[in-house]
Amino acid sequence: MNIAVIGTGYVGLSTGVCLAEIGHHVTCVDTNTEKITMLNQGISPIYEPGLEELLVRNRKAGRLEFTTSHHSGVERADIIIVAVGTPQQSSGEADVSYLIQAMIDIAPLIQKDTLVVIKSTVPVGTNEKVKKMIDHFAPKHVLIDVVSNPEFLRQGSAVHDTLHPDRIVIGCDNESAAVVIKNMYAPLKAPILITNPRSAEMIKYASNAFLATKISFINNIGNLCEAVGADVDSVSMGMGLDQRIGSAFLKSGLGYGGSCFPKDVSALLSTAKEFEVSFRMIEETILINNRQKQLLVKKAIERFESLKDKKIAILGFAFKPETDDMREAPSITIIHSLLKEGAKVIGFDPVATDNAKKLFGNQIIYAQSVEETLTDADAIFLVTEWNEFKKLDWAEIIVKMKQPIIFDGRNCLSEELVRSCEEVEYYPVGKPPIVKKKKS
């Protein structure tokens, strides 16, 4: 099939590259000239494991093209996939202005019967509005169906999730359109659910809100574990072994971040308010998450009393490992709070440092290695659970610190590893601290 993908962010680029990988001819369209130039050079503008390799391979095979021209992208397309951003507004609602502009740009260019697939995360009822807009702007001689096809990708494993999805949701009122989308995804051999557009739109929001609620729940349990002297990791394991609960998203830490959970939870709450449906659970999910991002700073203030002029080493800027994305990352809240307390901040991340520089400028110091970050530090904040942080020889590197004090926001370090250190103060999340003084 000839497929056009509008938007080359995480979702659009991952979708376009992977559809080319399974044999379709894909043209990705974006108005960002710099981004398209990079892509045409075989360079991915985002860090995503495995993505650039597939990008290069499919460009060479002639199955993948990139352009800033909507006309050249749309003219041959049997299917147009729209994957533009729908960021959160100050009100909490999803901003669909990019989607609306995309429709205005592409609808007049469609010259044959086409399927328009909305992959962007949009409020319930948006597909119906898009259909009316397309019918208004598109040539009258063409038949255009609009299909809701929400994505369920995890940043850091977007390629794997695209090629090995848990399920594919198709929301449309036209059975023949659903068949075309099923055929497009046929090589993936994934379970397919066909429903109406509003249900498909709601599935996306309900899924992300449930996972976010699960994270906030275990974080609240973690705080309670600390208070009563229990171990949240053991509690999580005991809960997760129950098949009705499952272990996924049941790890206590610093809360959720990224481009999806925060905005999707807020958007679902906005929809509930619009239709006058009480949703206190979601309100509490957001409150817990916001509080959790301040947890390490609170622990540090309790330990030091004052953070003024303390050198705090931040390990990890990205909101999760295997991505350079810092949208809604806990590190942002943490660093701003540390600076407000008068601390001196130095940080390191394997891939997200450039994005951190855009946010903090010269307010903090950017290290080139973990060792540089730790040298003469009063304390470490472990913020992102990169594997390379977990695999460090901690007994060896903490000797570079002024004081061997670790605040572990992701419970990266095992109790056995911590106790192997000759001297350390270790403050995890959801379990008792380990304070090990050096033998005299």
Side-chain angles (χ1 to χ4, degrees):
M1 296 181 181
N2 286 318
I3 300 169
V5 178
I6 312 299
T8 58
Y10 274 95
V11 175
L13 188 56
S14 299
T15 299
V17 169
C18 290
L19 286 174
E21 177 69 11
I22 62 175
H24 300 295
H25 183 275
V26 180
T27 303
C28 293
V29 183
D30 201 294
T31 57
N32 188 320
T33 304
E34 182 181 355
K35 187 184 288 189
I36 292 300
T37 298
M38 289 179 65
L39 289 166
N40 278 321
Q41 293 172 347
I43 303 169
S44 173
I46 57 175
Y47 178 82
E48 188 65 39
L51 184 61
E52 193 164 276
E53 178 186 346
L54 294 188
L55 188 161
V56 171
R57 181 161 73 218
N58 284 283
R59 281 188 73 253
K60 287 182 177 178
R63 292 190 296 267
L64 184 61
E65 299 177 23
F66 300 97
T67 181
T68 57
S69 168
H70 286 92
H71 183 269
S72 61
V74 168
E75 62 178 346
R76 292 178 295 168
D78 305 304
I79 299 172
I80 302 171
I81 298 175
V82 183
V84 296
T86 52
Q88 181 180 331
Q89 300 185 74
S90 58
S91 63
E93 297 175 283
D95 180 358
V96 296
S97 60
Y98 296 107
L99 177 66
I100 292 170
Q101 185 60 53
M103 293 302 103
I104 294 172
D105 290 338
I106 66 175
L109 303 175
I110 299 173
Q111 295 298 319
K112 64 177 183 176
D113 294 354
T114 308
L115 291 184
V116 173
V117 177
I118 307 300
K119 193 163 276 292
S120 303
T121 302
V122 294
V124 177
T126 300
N127 277 256
E128 295 166 19
K129 296 175 183 177
V130 166
K131 172 62 174 168
K132 292 178 181 178
M133 184 180 299
I134 288 177
D135 287 345
H136 175 75
F137 285 103
K140 302 306 177 185
H141 68 276
V142 298
L143 177 64
I144 302 171
D145 281 307
V146 177
V147 177
S148 175
N149 177 219
E151 53 81 20
F152 302 98
L153 308 183
R154 298 167 297 169
Q155 286 177 242
S157 56
V159 170
H160 178 273
D161 292 348
T162 304
L163 295 175
H164 307 279
D166 292 327
R167 78 287 203 194
I168 294 168
V169 175
I170 301 171
C172 64
D173 297 316
N174 185 327
E175 185 177 343
S176 62
V179 170
V180 173
I181 304 303
K182 283 180 67 176
N183 290 338
M184 180 180 75
Y185 285 121
L188 301 180
K189 302 186 185 308
I192 292 178
L193 171 65
I194 299 176
T195 184
N196 60 62
R198 289 191 171 224
S199 296
E201 292 164 335
M202 181 59 80
I203 287 169
K204 169 63 177 184
Y205 280 118
S207 297
N208 278 358
F210 180 81
L211 295 174
T213 300
K214 197 173 180 183
I215 292 169
S216 285
F217 177 84
I218 197 60
N219 281 333
N220 230 19
I221 289 293
N223 296 337
L224 184 57
C225 284
E226 281 194 41
V228 303
D231 183 328
V232 71
D233 287 345
S234 296
V235 174
S236 296
M237 185 177 296
M239 292 173 61
L241 290 172
D242 188 325
Q243 293 183 7
R244 298 169 299 174
I245 298 173
S247 60
F249 293 87
L250 208 60
K251 184 173 175 57
S252 187
L254 298 176
Y256 56 80
S259 63
C260 292
F261 283 7
K263 76 177 182 67
D264 291 353
V265 172
S266 294
L268 183 63
L269 183 59
S270 294
T271 299
K273 290 178 178 178
E274 178 185 351
F275 288 88
E276 299 182 347
V277 175
S278 177
F279 216 149
R280 296 285 180 85
M281 183 185 297
I282 295 300
E283 292 176 357
E284 191 64 21
T285 292
I286 296 171
L287 289 173
I288 293 170
N289 196 62
N290 290 339
R291 286 198 302 265
Q292 203 70 12
K293 291 181 180 181
Q294 296 283 5
L295 185 63
L296 294 193
V297 178
K298 180 182 176 183
K299 286 175 179 282
I301 292 173
E302 289 173 354
R303 166 59 179 80
F304 290 105
E305 293 188 1
S306 172
L307 298 181
K308 184 173 175 56
D309 295 327
K310 297 295 183 186
K311 183 179 180 181
I312 307 298
I314 302 291
L315 291 185
F317 294 132
F319 86 94
K320 63 181 288 189
E322 302 302 331
T323 180
D324 61 352
D325 197 345
M326 287 187 63
R327 284 175 287 183
E328 301 291 335
S331 64
I332 299 173
T333 301
I334 289 169
I335 291 171
H336 279 311
S337 296
L338 287 172
L339 293 173
K340 187 177 180 181
E341 294 292 330
K344 298 175 181 178
V345 179
I346 182 169
F348 171 76
D349 188 285
V351 300
T353 297
D354 286 345
N355 286 334
K357 288 178 179 178
K358 295 174 185 176
L359 290 171
F360 298 109
N362 60 4
Q363 295 180 84
I364 69 174
I365 300 169
Y366 306 94
Q368 300 298 313
S369 66
V370 173
E371 289 74 11
E372 181 187 346
T373 315
L374 270 54
T375 300
D376 294 328
D378 291 289
I380 300 168
F381 279 23
L382 262 165
V383 179
T384 311
E385 60 273 38
W386 285 96
N387 279 331
E388 67 181 79
F389 297 163
K390 297 178 184 179
K391 294 176 180 178
L392 289 169
D393 186 340
W394 283 90
E396 180 179 328
I397 64 170
I398 61 172
V399 299
K400 298 178 180 293
M401 299 177 66
K402 188 180 298 182
Q403 305 180 71
I405 300 174
I406 302 171
F407 296 93
D408 188 350
R410 301 296 184 181
N411 291 349
C412 293
L413 310 187
S414 67
E415 182 175 337
E416 180 183 10
L417 187 154
V418 172
R419 293 195 182 281
S420 70
C421 298
E422 187 175 353
E423 179 186 6
V424 70
E425 288 183 45
Y426 177 71
Y427 299 91
V429 174
K431 44 187 166 181
I434 298 173
V435 178
K436 191 172 180 227
K437 299 296 184 181
K438 189 173 183 179
K439 295 179 181 179
S440 56

